[in-house]
Amino acid sequence: MAERRGRPTGPTGPVVRRALQLLDAFSPERSAMTLSELARHTGLPTSTAYRMLGDLVDWGALERGEDGAYRVGLRLWELGSLAPRGLGLRELAMPTLEDLSAVTRENVQLAVREGTEVVFVERIAGSGAVPVRTRVGGRFALTATGVGLVLLAHAPAEVQNEVLDGEIPRFTDMTITDPAALRRMLAEVRTCGFAVSDRQVTCDALSVAAPVFDQRDEVVAAVSLVVRHGTATALSLSPLVRAAARAISRALA
């Protein structure tokens, strides 16, 4: 997966950068870490990491459990919820997302692009719907998910080149990793108005996504339905997804 924009590098530097290194060490796979693990992962001396972790715990950015492990604190969640791009978009989109979820009872997702990754702003899990690997606030490759393909198709040429010239991750045997094939797929997305990701992320999921436009007619987000493979076709889902995307676009305008 592409490296996150603005990620701090190197074990030395200003205090703020060292604090960001500690926070950046956490991930969905590393949601709880000990002092020694954090020091090893960041390259910071244990004494420095211990001192800075204490400050981060005092402020509320991190919490320390009875097991001695550190976890992300609620203070960061509170700050993250104030991000203007995700907040305004989510509030305007929620009525449409909830309607789409109620009608289909499937997974509904809303995402934006940040650099060379897709960031999920909202996800409504359908009752009994196919499990998905995404989560609110989570990042994913632009090349595999339905929303990612939509956002990549409408991204500037330099972003497309950076993504397609780099390493393209494979998640299943169905994941398309050939740059030429992906370029053809992106052109088709721009032509037909929706993207299809069929078993590219998990072996049992089909995703159909459509672009959300702002008042300047620029793509600012993508909305998708994710269903169990074999229960519906992309052509049957695309009108619902495109209608939802148009409704959100009107709300943004």
Side-chain angles (χ1 to χ4, degrees):
M1 190 174 298
E3 184 170 316
R4 195 177 309 169
R5 185 176 62 184
R7 173 171 290 177
T9 57
T12 62
V15 172
V16 172
R17 189 170 71 181
R18 294 181 183 183
L20 291 175
Q21 283 179 262
L22 288 167
L23 294 176
D24 198 58
F26 292 90
S27 70
E29 296 76 25
R30 298 187 302 271
S31 60
M33 302 181 73
T34 64
L35 169 62
S36 60
E37 288 172 336
L38 283 161
R40 183 171 62 253
H41 189 80
T42 60
L44 293 172
T46 301
S47 58
T48 300
Y50 177 77
R51 183 176 65 254
M52 301 200 72
L53 287 169
D55 290 338
L56 290 169
V57 169
D58 289 343
W59 186 77
L62 296 177
E63 298 174 356
R64 190 180 186 192
E66 294 182 357
D67 58 357
Y70 295 88
R71 296 170 176 82
V72 174
L74 286 177
R75 188 73 179 273
L76 284 185
W77 180 84
E78 292 170 354
L79 284 178
S81 68
L82 298 176
R85 184 157 60 129
L87 179 63
L89 172 65
R90 179 185 177 279
E91 288 183 342
L92 290 171
M94 275 307 294
T96 299
L97 299 179
E98 290 172 343
D99 287 346
L100 185 59
S101 174
V103 168
T104 64
R105 297 186 179 182
E106 300 287 358
N107 296 303
V108 177
Q109 301 183 136
L110 180 70
V112 298
R113 179 180 64 84
E114 184 174 63
T116 57
E117 294 177 307
V118 57
V119 178
F120 289 87
V121 176
E122 184 56 76
R123 180 173 75 86
I124 302 176
S127 176
V130 62
V132 295
R133 294 180 56 177
T134 56
R135 61 182 179 84
V136 175
R139 295 168 179 264
F140 218 82
L142 285 168
T143 51
T145 64
V147 288
L149 289 168
V150 166
L151 294 168
L152 184 58
H154 293 277
E158 57 268 25
V159 173
Q160 294 185 16
N161 291 335
E162 181 179 354
V163 171
L164 298 179
D165 291 343
E167 182 179 355
I168 300 173
R170 177 181 294 277
F171 302 99
T172 72
D173 291 340
M174 297 293 292
T175 305
I176 298 173
T177 59
D178 176 62
L182 280 168
R183 288 188 186 278
R184 290 192 295 270
M185 178 179 289
L186 297 179
E188 185 176 351
V189 170
R190 291 189 293 270
T191 299
C192 69
F194 65 94
V196 178
S197 172
D198 187 5
R199 293 166 291 171
Q200 289 207 63
V201 178
T202 61
C203 294
D204 54 355
L206 167 70
S207 173
V208 179
V212 174
F213 296 86
D214 64 6
Q215 63 271 24
R216 296 168 298 180
D217 204 32
E218 295 180 356
V219 173
V220 293
V223 61
S224 70
L225 269 175
V226 184
V227 306
R228 191 175 299 278
H229 173 77
T231 61
T233 66
L235 288 178
S236 67
L237 297 175
S238 61
L240 292 171
V241 179
R242 296 184 70 186
R246 287 193 297 269
I248 299 172
S249 299
R250 287 194 297 270
L252 291 177

